Amino acid sequence: MNSMERVSASIRGQKRDRCAVGPLLSLYGARLTGCVLEKYYTQANAYALGQAMVRELCRPDILFGPFALALEGAAFGSKIQWMEKCPPNIKRPVLASVHEWKNLKIPDPDSDPILQYGYQSVQKMRAMHGQEIAIAAIALNVIDLPVMLLGIHEWLEAVLFYEEEANQLMQKLLPYTRLRINKYFESGADAVIMPCAFANPSILTRELVIRVSLPVMEESLQALNGILILHSAGAPMLPFIDLYRNLPNVAGFVLNSGEDMAEARKRAGTEKLLIGNIEGPLLQYQTEALIAGECTKLLSLAEADSRMILGTAGADIGYETSLDKIQLLHQCCQSFSQDQA
Amino acid sequence: MVQHQSKSASAGTKDIKQRLFLQMIRSEKDDAIETVAQYAVRHGYENAVINLLDPVLRQFGQVWASQENVSLAQGYVASRIAEEIMLRASRDQQTADLNIKGPVVIGNAEDDYHALGRKLVVIFLRARGWQVYDMGNDVLPEVFVEKALEVHAPIIGVSAMMMTTALHIRKVRELIDDRGLTDKIKLAVGGAVFNFRPELVGEVGGDGTVRNALSVPDLMNSLWPSVVLV
């Protein structure tokens, strides 16, 4: 089985030669090629070369498209701050408050150069690797995109106290997000990973998620030409997973670090893919013994659950993480399957 | 003038505190503000802040720190309730003699633009009577230290959300030490990354941290020096 076949089998719940591995190594490609981040996150060639190096040295079964959510804010006019060892951040949002929503200019997903960078990165990765490895793009949910346009403070204020205008802004963004996600599928992505910050219990109450987030998610996730994997966005997902399981085109979930994958299976149902949940951003601070132990626990569960993939939780694996620790994930998978055989 | 409460009045206040706490947990902002306003009609805003708002915020902070099922939205609504009550209290002539603690200097670490946590910290500190100098986002170490010296603040509080920006806090520590201010200025640190990795507090030279914005006034109290001001 090649990586693509292994991941496809996982999505369909079919037998695999071993558990697939999908650590989030979008950023790490820049470390491996020594590429300056401003170039890495603006030039598709540089990104694709970084991911080719990730594939060669880390041997994952999934490669990810650029995970730099602030770039999407930049396409709308927000100012970003480039960082030396992590993706850019929003420095100044394009809107001062939700009351300005009518003034927002929506970028054209077919021509905007910042958005094109994302598609072209996926296209180049697909051209380089053919059908040998799965490629997942990363795109913002309509409920989280306003964070890049307003900042989290103003968006929270809007959701809590100006619900009608918050909904009007999301309705304005909805056709754009659908088009953008479909552009990723056209570019060759096998799935789109979608963080869900404003639908998780560390940000909003269950009542607010049901009233504000779910209806617009339901609407925005229809008419997509591929599958979505909802990501915990570095916060607990399990308490609300029952709310997401029937959303259109949602094929699975990336669980947060420390969440009980067996319990997630019970709550998500047997048909959903579960990815998780080795600690990603703080992997560099964990001992190899701890990482191996966590992997073995997850692989034991995955042995009886073909819709489970060993992946990392939270944001990207840190820039400073030693290559040995990342390679350990693949090695654990290999040795576990050999032991089972 | 702060009023001393009789036993029955104290029992009544206990019920009102419980009601206010529940209103905060349920994010019932207008109802919570009304609860305090009704109390203030009889007792004044100074007493409302001391007898209701302050203990309820402390209780809320403890719940937020100990349970995972309190959301940022609930914390944010609590901050808006506190902000509104403090605004009303500042307009109330009777609050003129409210004890002011501080000052402290607060800001986001160099390159850090995640302002929400800092803004909550500032609101909750002010609600608990602290004088705060808020330096905003992306604050250089020199700016923190110069401001602390200028306003005689013995505590600098630095917020950072991510590992990369949290490591910039080391430069604040180094500057404090290099200028011979180690015993005169304490360094409070906070932000999501410190919750995930508490040992980072020591690595960046922090003197203390807490898990959420509501607990910051307690941290400031614990760091508040017995030494003379700068």
Side-chain angles (χ1 to χ4, degrees), chain B residues 8 10 23 29-30 35 77 86 104 129 134 156 169 183 208 224:
Chain B
S8 60
S10 176
Q23 286 165 336
K29 175 173 157 261
D30 293 342
T35 295
V77 174
M86 293 309 293
V104 294
D134 181 2
I156 293 172
I169 299 174
D183 296 330
W224 191 254

Side-chain angles (χ1 to χ4, degrees), chain B residues 17-18 20-22 25 53-66 128 214 218:
Chain B
K17 275 196 287 192
Q18 182 62 15
L20 180 60
F21 174 74
L22 290 174
I25 286 283
L53 185 62
D54 190 75
V56 169
L57 286 178
R58 185 174 289 137
Q59 185 185 2
F60 191 95
Q62 286 164 353
V63 171
W64 198 358
S66 64
R128 302 270 296 272
L214 264 163
D218 294 333

Side-chain angles (χ1 to χ4, degrees), chain B residues 26-218:
Chain B
R26 294 179 192 136
S27 297
E28 295 165 352
K29 175 173 157 261
D30 293 342
D31 291 343
I33 291 168
E34 183 57 27
T35 295
V36 179
Q38 284 175 9
Y39 184 92
V41 167
R42 291 180 58 198
H43 304 284
Y45 267 101
E46 182 180 358
N47 285 302
V49 169
I50 293 167
N51 297 328
L52 283 185
L53 185 62
D54 190 75
V56 169
L57 286 178
R58 185 174 289 137
Q59 185 185 2
F60 191 95
Q62 286 164 353
V63 171
W64 198 358
S66 64
Q67 296 182 10
E68 289 184 354
N69 58 355
V70 176
S71 66
L72 179 63
Q74 287 163 294
Y76 184 76
V77 174
S79 80
R80 291 290 307 273
I81 293 166
E83 195 173 33
E84 175 63 25
I85 292 167
M86 293 309 293
L87 183 66
R88 293 183 185 199
S90 68
R91 292 180 188 142
D92 186 340
Q93 288 185 339
Q94 290 182 348
T95 61
D97 60 351
L98 257 181
N99 286 330
I100 294 292
K101 293 175 264 186
V104 294
V105 173
I106 301 290
N108 281 74
E110 183 180 352
D111 282 341
D112 197 291
Y113 292 89
H114 297 92
L116 180 58
R118 171 179 51 78
K119 288 178 178 176
L120 293 179
V121 165
V122 171
I123 289 169
F124 289 128
L125 276 170
R126 287 178 177 155
R128 302 270 296 272
W130 288 81
Q131 185 184 12
V132 182
Y133 290 88
D134 181 2
M135 308 306 288
N137 290 333
D138 183 26
V139 182
L140 294 173
E142 297 78 10
V143 175
F144 275 120
V145 174
E146 287 301 328
K147 191 68 185 178
L149 291 171
E150 176 195 331
V151 300
H152 306 290
I155 304 175
I156 293 172
V158 189
S159 169
M161 186 174 172
M162 301 178 306
M163 178 62 74
T164 44
T165 52
L167 293 176
H168 290 316
I169 299 174
R170 274 186 196 146
K171 292 189 255 179
V172 182
R173 172 83 274 161
E174 286 163 8
L175 191 60
I176 290 171
D177 294 346
D178 289 349
R179 295 182 67 167
L181 299 167
T182 311
D183 296 330
K184 295 183 177 174
I185 297 179
K186 300 288 183 189
L187 182 60
V189 299
V193 67
F194 292 99
N195 293 346
F196 296 126
R197 195 161 177 270
E199 61 271 33
L200 189 61
V201 177
E203 289 171 21
V204 301
D207 292 312
T209 192
V210 280
R211 289 187 63 83
N212 62 62
L214 264 163
S215 305
V216 173
D218 294 333

Side-chain angles (χ1 to χ4, degrees), chain A residues 200-230:
Chain A
N200 81 43
S202 65
I203 305 286
L204 295 185
T205 60
R206 190 176 179 92
E207 187 185 32
L208 275 168
V209 169
I210 290 170
R211 194 176 75 230
V212 180
S213 306
L214 277 186
V216 72
M217 282 176 77
E218 172 96 32
E219 196 178 349
S220 70
L221 304 187
Q222 289 170 8
L224 297 179
N225 303 324
I227 60 168
L228 300 168
I229 308 289
L230 301 187

Side-chain angles (χ1 to χ4, degrees), chain A residues 134-152:
Chain A
I135 296 173
I138 300 172
L140 278 162
N141 201 323
V142 70
I143 56 171
D144 291 333
L145 176 54
V147 173
M148 302 299 152
L149 313 178
L150 289 158
I152 190 168

Side-chain angles (χ1 to χ4, degrees), chain A residues 147-189:
Chain A
V147 173
M148 302 299 152
L149 313 178
L150 289 158
I152 190 168
H153 178 194
E154 286 298 330
W155 183 230
L156 190 57
E157 174 89 8
V159 168
L160 288 167
F161 302 119
Y162 302 99
E163 203 172 306
E164 191 178 332
E165 284 172 290
N167 272 318
Q168 285 169 324
L169 173 59
M170 288 192 289
Q171 285 299 324
K172 183 170 180 172
L173 294 170
L174 200 145
Y176 159 86
T177 54
R178 202 180 278 153
L179 191 58
R180 175 147 169 75
I181 292 166
N182 278 334
K183 288 287 288 182
Y184 270 122
F185 290 128
E186 278 173 36
S187 302

